[in-house]
Amino acid sequence: MSITIDTTFCKGCELCLTVCKPGALKSGTVRNAKGYLPPEVDQDKCIHCGNCEITCPEMAMTVTKEKK
């Protein structure tokens, strides 16, 4: 499973950071085309709960299950 962030939609509100209990998301350091700082993901810390995806007001987060 993995988290994908569509940086075109992200407005850097950081709501996803507040609901990420394992701390897999952190403040971004690279600005998108609109000047916002999308979060960065540590895939190893992610427990794939989907809270970030549900919380994102811009629907910029996607938690996907990898195909085997």
Side-chain angles (χ1 to χ4, degrees):
M1 297 182 95
S2 66
I3 298 175
T4 306
I5 302 171
D6 188 337
T7 58
T8 6
F9 293 115
C10 181
K11 291 188 178 171
C13 69
E14 296 191 351
L15 287 174
C16 55
L17 274 63
T18 65
V19 298
C20 185
K21 299 300 180 196
L25 298 170
K26 64 179 183 176
S27 296
T29 56
V30 179
R31 295 195 181 273
N32 65 12
K34 295 177 184 174
Y36 300 115
L37 289 169
E40 295 176 2
V41 182
D42 182 342
Q43 299 287 353
D44 294 330
K45 289 184 180 179
C46 181
I47 60 170
H48 308 99
C49 63
N51 287 341
C52 58
E53 183 177 22
I54 294 166
T55 303
C56 181
E58 303 303 322
M59 295 186 281
M61 311 282 292
T62 306
V63 178
T64 55
K65 189 173 187 177
E66 294 177 0
K67 296 178 183 177
K68 293 184 178 184

